[in-house]
CSV table of all heavy atoms in Angstrom, one decimal:
chain,number,residue,atom,x,y,z
A,390,ALA,N,-37.1,-17.1,-24.6
A,390,ALA,CA,-37.6,-16.2,-25.7
A,390,ALA,C,-36.5,-16.1,-26.8
A,390,ALA,O,-36.7,-16.1,-28.0
A,390,ALA,CB,-38.0,-14.9,-25.3
A,391,ARG,N,-35.3,-16.0,-26.3
A,391,ARG,CA,-34.2,-15.8,-27.2
A,391,ARG,C,-33.6,-17.1,-27.8
A,391,ARG,O,-33.1,-17.0,-28.9
A,391,ARG,CB,-32.9,-15.1,-26.5
A,391,ARG,CG,-33.3,-13.7,-26.1
A,391,ARG,CD,-32.2,-13.1,-25.1
A,391,ARG,NE,-30.9,-13.3,-25.6
A,391,ARG,CZ,-29.7,-13.2,-24.9
A,391,ARG,NH1,-29.9,-12.9,-23.6
A,391,ARG,NH2,-28.6,-13.3,-25.4
A,392,THR,N,-33.6,-18.2,-27.1
A,392,THR,CA,-33.1,-19.4,-27.4
A,392,THR,C,-34.0,-20.5,-27.9
A,392,THR,O,-33.6,-21.4,-28.7
A,392,THR,CB,-32.2,-20.1,-26.4
A,392,THR,OG1,-33.1,-20.5,-25.3
A,392,THR,CG2,-31.2,-19.1,-25.8
A,393,GLY,N,-35.3,-20.4,-27.7
A,393,GLY,CA,-36.2,-21.4,-28.1
A,393,GLY,C,-36.1,-22.6,-27.2
A,393,GLY,O,-36.9,-23.7,-27.6
A,394,GLN,N,-35.4,-22.8,-26.2
A,394,GLN,CA,-35.2,-23.9,-25.3
A,394,GLN,C,-36.1,-23.6,-24.1
A,394,GLN,O,-36.3,-22.6,-23.6
A,394,GLN,CB,-33.8,-24.1,-25.0
A,394,GLN,CG,-32.8,-24.2,-26.1
A,394,GLN,CD,-33.1,-25.4,-27.0
A,394,GLN,OE1,-33.4,-26.5,-26.6
A,394,GLN,NE2,-33.0,-25.2,-28.3
A,395,VAL,N,-36.5,-24.8,-23.5
A,395,VAL,CA,-37.2,-24.8,-22.2
A,395,VAL,C,-36.3,-24.7,-21.1
A,395,VAL,O,-35.4,-25.6,-20.9
A,395,VAL,CB,-38.0,-26.2,-22.2
A,395,VAL,CG1,-38.8,-26.1,-20.8
A,395,VAL,CG2,-39.2,-26.2,-23.2
A,396,LEU,N,-36.3,-23.7,-20.3
A,396,LEU,CA,-35.4,-23.4,-19.3
A,396,LEU,C,-36.1,-23.0,-17.9
A,396,LEU,O,-35.5,-23.3,-16.8
A,396,LEU,CB,-34.4,-22.3,-19.7
A,396,LEU,CG,-33.6,-22.6,-20.9
A,396,LEU,CD1,-32.9,-21.4,-21.4
A,396,LEU,CD2,-32.5,-23.7,-20.6
A,397,ALA,N,-37.2,-22.3,-17.9
A,397,ALA,CA,-37.7,-21.7,-16.8
A,397,ALA,C,-38.1,-22.7,-15.6
A,397,ALA,O,-38.2,-22.4,-14.6
A,397,ALA,CB,-38.9,-20.7,-17.1
A,398,ASP,N,-38.4,-23.9,-16.1
A,398,ASP,CA,-38.8,-25.0,-15.1
A,398,ASP,C,-37.7,-25.3,-14.1
A,398,ASP,O,-37.9,-25.8,-13.0
A,398,ASP,CB,-39.3,-26.3,-15.8
A,398,ASP,CG,-38.2,-26.8,-16.6
A,398,ASP,OD1,-37.7,-26.2,-17.6
A,398,ASP,OD2,-37.7,-27.9,-16.3
A,399,LEU,N,-36.5,-25.0,-14.5
A,399,LEU,CA,-35.3,-25.2,-13.6
A,399,LEU,C,-35.5,-24.3,-12.4
A,399,LEU,O,-35.0,-24.7,-11.3
A,399,LEU,CB,-34.0,-24.9,-14.3
A,399,LEU,CG,-33.6,-25.7,-15.5
A,399,LEU,CD1,-32.4,-25.2,-16.2
A,399,LEU,CD2,-33.4,-27.2,-15.0
A,400,ALA,N,-36.1,-23.2,-12.5
A,400,ALA,CA,-36.2,-22.3,-11.3
A,400,ALA,C,-37.6,-22.2,-10.8
A,400,ALA,O,-37.9,-21.6,-9.7
A,400,ALA,CB,-35.7,-20.9,-11.7
A,401,ARG,N,-38.7,-22.7,-11.6
A,401,ARG,CA,-40.1,-22.5,-11.2
A,401,ARG,C,-40.4,-22.9,-9.8
A,401,ARG,O,-41.2,-22.4,-9.0
A,401,ARG,CB,-40.9,-23.2,-12.2
A,401,ARG,CG,-42.4,-22.8,-12.1
A,401,ARG,CD,-42.6,-21.5,-12.9
A,401,ARG,NE,-42.4,-21.7,-14.4
A,401,ARG,CZ,-42.4,-20.8,-15.2
A,401,ARG,NH1,-42.6,-19.4,-14.8
A,401,ARG,NH2,-42.2,-20.9,-16.5
A,402,GLU,N,-39.7,-24.1,-9.4
A,402,GLU,CA,-40.1,-24.6,-8.1
A,402,GLU,C,-39.7,-23.6,-6.9
A,402,GLU,O,-40.3,-23.8,-5.8
A,402,GLU,CB,-39.4,-25.9,-7.9
A,402,GLU,CG,-37.8,-25.9,-7.9
A,402,GLU,CD,-37.1,-27.2,-7.8
A,402,GLU,OE1,-37.8,-28.2,-7.5
A,402,GLU,OE2,-35.9,-27.2,-8.1
A,403,ASN,N,-38.8,-22.8,-7.2
A,403,ASN,CA,-38.4,-21.8,-6.2
A,403,ASN,C,-38.7,-20.4,-6.4
A,403,ASN,O,-38.2,-19.5,-6.0
A,403,ASN,CB,-36.9,-21.9,-6.0
A,403,ASN,CG,-36.4,-23.1,-5.4
A,403,ASN,OD1,-36.9,-23.6,-4.2
A,403,ASN,ND2,-35.4,-23.8,-6.0
A,404,GLU,N,-39.8,-20.2,-7.4
A,404,GLU,CA,-40.2,-18.8,-7.7
A,404,GLU,C,-40.5,-18.0,-6.6
A,404,GLU,O,-40.3,-16.7,-6.6
A,404,GLU,CB,-41.3,-19.0,-8.8
A,404,GLU,CG,-41.6,-17.6,-9.4
A,404,GLU,CD,-42.6,-17.7,-10.6
A,404,GLU,OE1,-43.1,-18.8,-10.8
A,404,GLU,OE2,-42.9,-16.7,-11.2
A,405,GLY,N,-41.1,-18.5,-5.6
A,405,GLY,CA,-41.6,-17.7,-4.4
A,405,GLY,C,-40.5,-17.6,-3.4
A,405,GLY,O,-40.8,-17.0,-2.3
A,406,THR,N,-39.3,-18.2,-3.5
A,406,THR,CA,-38.2,-18.2,-2.5
A,406,THR,C,-37.5,-16.9,-2.5
A,406,THR,O,-37.2,-16.4,-3.4
A,406,THR,CB,-37.3,-19.3,-2.7
A,406,THR,OG1,-38.0,-20.5,-2.7
A,406,THR,CG2,-36.1,-19.3,-1.6
A,407,ARG,N,-37.4,-16.2,-1.3
A,407,ARG,CA,-36.6,-15.1,-1.2
A,407,ARG,C,-35.7,-15.3,0.0
A,407,ARG,O,-36.1,-15.4,1.2
A,407,ARG,CB,-37.5,-13.8,-0.9
A,407,ARG,CG,-38.6,-13.4,-1.8
A,407,ARG,CD,-38.0,-12.9,-3.1
A,407,ARG,NE,-39.2,-12.5,-4.0
A,407,ARG,CZ,-39.9,-13.1,-4.8
A,407,ARG,NH1,-39.6,-14.5,-4.8
A,407,ARG,NH2,-40.8,-12.6,-5.4
A,408,ILE,N,-34.4,-15.4,-0.3
A,408,ILE,CA,-33.5,-15.6,0.8
A,408,ILE,C,-33.1,-14.3,1.4
A,408,ILE,O,-32.6,-13.4,0.7
A,408,ILE,CB,-32.2,-16.4,0.3
A,408,ILE,CG1,-32.5,-17.8,-0.2
A,408,ILE,CG2,-31.1,-16.5,1.3
A,408,ILE,CD1,-31.4,-18.4,-0.9
A,409,THR,N,-33.3,-14.1,2.7
A,409,THR,CA,-33.0,-12.9,3.3
A,409,THR,C,-31.7,-13.0,4.2
A,409,THR,O,-31.2,-14.1,4.5
A,409,THR,CB,-34.1,-12.4,4.2
A,409,THR,OG1,-34.3,-13.4,5.4
A,409,THR,CG2,-35.4,-12.4,3.4
A,410,PHE,N,-31.2,-11.9,4.7
A,410,PHE,CA,-30.0,-11.9,5.4
A,410,PHE,C,-30.2,-12.6,6.8
A,410,PHE,O,-29.4,-13.4,7.2
A,410,PHE,CB,-29.5,-10.5,5.8
A,410,PHE,CG,-28.2,-10.5,6.4
A,410,PHE,CD1,-27.1,-11.0,5.8
A,410,PHE,CD2,-28.0,-9.8,7.7
A,410,PHE,CE1,-25.8,-10.9,6.3
A,410,PHE,CE2,-26.7,-9.8,8.2
A,410,PHE,CZ,-25.7,-10.4,7.6
A,411,PRO,N,-31.4,-12.6,7.5
A,411,PRO,CA,-31.6,-13.5,8.6
A,411,PRO,C,-31.5,-14.9,8.3
A,411,PRO,O,-31.0,-15.7,9.1
A,411,PRO,CB,-32.9,-12.9,9.2
A,411,PRO,CG,-33.1,-11.5,8.8
A,411,PRO,CD,-32.4,-11.5,7.4
A,412,ASP,N,-32.0,-15.3,7.1
A,412,ASP,CA,-32.0,-16.7,6.7
A,412,ASP,C,-30.5,-17.2,6.7
A,412,ASP,O,-30.1,-18.3,7.1
A,412,ASP,CB,-32.6,-16.9,5.3
A,412,ASP,CG,-34.0,-16.6,5.3
A,412,ASP,OD1,-34.7,-16.8,6.4
A,412,ASP,OD2,-34.5,-16.3,4.2
A,413,THR,N,-29.6,-16.3,6.2
A,413,THR,CA,-28.2,-16.7,6.1
A,413,THR,C,-27.6,-16.7,7.5
A,413,THR,O,-26.5,-17.4,7.7
A,413,THR,CB,-27.4,-15.8,5.1
A,413,THR,OG1,-27.4,-14.5,5.7
A,413,THR,CG2,-28.1,-15.8,3.8
A,414,GLN,N,-28.1,-15.9,8.5
A,414,GLN,CA,-27.5,-15.9,9.7
A,414,GLN,C,-27.8,-17.1,10.5
A,414,GLN,O,-27.0,-17.5,11.4
A,414,GLN,CB,-28.0,-14.7,10.5
A,414,GLN,CG,-27.3,-13.3,9.9
A,414,GLN,CD,-27.9,-12.1,10.7
A,414,GLN,OE1,-29.1,-11.8,10.6
A,414,GLN,NE2,-27.0,-11.4,11.3
A,415,SER,N,-28.9,-17.7,10.2
A,415,SER,CA,-29.4,-18.8,11.0
A,415,SER,C,-28.7,-20.1,10.5
A,415,SER,O,-28.5,-21.1,11.4
A,415,SER,CB,-30.9,-19.0,10.9
A,415,SER,OG,-31.3,-19.3,9.6
A,416,ARG,N,-28.3,-20.2,9.3
A,416,ARG,CA,-27.5,-21.5,8.7
A,416,ARG,C,-27.1,-21.1,7.4
A,416,ARG,O,-27.6,-20.2,6.8
A,416,ARG,CB,-28.6,-22.5,8.7
A,416,ARG,CG,-29.7,-22.3,7.6
A,416,ARG,CD,-30.8,-23.1,7.7
A,416,ARG,NE,-31.9,-22.9,6.7
A,416,ARG,CZ,-32.7,-21.9,6.6
A,416,ARG,NH1,-32.6,-20.9,7.6
A,416,ARG,NH2,-33.6,-21.7,5.7
A,417,PRO,N,-26.1,-21.8,6.8
A,417,PRO,CA,-25.7,-21.7,5.4
A,417,PRO,C,-26.8,-22.1,4.6
A,417,PRO,O,-27.5,-23.1,4.8
A,417,PRO,CB,-24.5,-22.6,5.3
A,417,PRO,CG,-24.0,-22.9,6.7
A,417,PRO,CD,-25.2,-22.8,7.6
A,418,VAL,N,-27.2,-21.3,3.6
A,418,VAL,CA,-28.4,-21.4,2.8
A,418,VAL,C,-27.9,-21.8,1.3
A,418,VAL,O,-27.2,-21.1,0.7
A,418,VAL,CB,-29.2,-20.2,2.7
A,418,VAL,CG1,-30.5,-20.4,1.8
A,418,VAL,CG2,-29.6,-19.8,4.1
A,419,PRO,N,-28.4,-22.9,0.7
A,419,PRO,CA,-28.1,-23.2,-0.7
A,419,PRO,C,-28.6,-22.3,-1.6
A,419,PRO,O,-29.7,-21.8,-1.5
A,419,PRO,CB,-28.6,-24.7,-0.8
A,419,PRO,CG,-29.7,-24.8,0.2
A,419,PRO,CD,-29.3,-23.9,1.5
A,420,VAL,N,-27.9,-21.9,-2.7
A,420,VAL,CA,-28.3,-21.0,-3.7
A,420,VAL,C,-29.4,-21.7,-4.6
A,420,VAL,O,-29.5,-22.9,-4.5
A,420,VAL,CB,-27.1,-20.6,-4.5
A,420,VAL,CG1,-26.1,-19.7,-3.7
A,420,VAL,CG2,-26.5,-21.6,-5.3
A,421,LEU,N,-30.1,-20.8,-5.4
A,421,LEU,CA,-31.1,-21.3,-6.2
A,421,LEU,C,-30.5,-21.5,-7.7
A,421,LEU,O,-29.5,-20.7,-8.0
A,421,LEU,CB,-32.2,-20.3,-6.4
A,421,LEU,CG,-32.9,-19.8,-4.9
A,421,LEU,CD1,-34.0,-18.9,-5.2
A,421,LEU,CD2,-33.3,-21.2,-4.1
A,422,THR,N,-31.1,-22.2,-8.5
A,422,THR,CA,-30.6,-22.3,-9.9
A,422,THR,C,-31.0,-20.9,-10.5
A,422,THR,O,-32.1,-20.4,-10.4
A,422,THR,CB,-31.4,-23.4,-10.6
A,422,THR,OG1,-31.0,-24.7,-9.9
A,422,THR,CG2,-30.9,-23.4,-12.0
Side-chain angles (χ1 to χ4, degrees):
R391 290 170 53 197
T392 66
Q394 303 298 323
V395 177
L396 299 168
D398 63 296
L399 294 171
R401 194 83 67 188
E402 62 185 348
N403 290 309
E404 186 171 8
T406 301
R407 305 286 191 278
I408 298 174
T409 65
F410 190 60
D412 292 335
T413 65
Q414 289 179 297
S415 64
R416 67 197 183 284
V418 182
V420 299
L421 312 177
T422 301

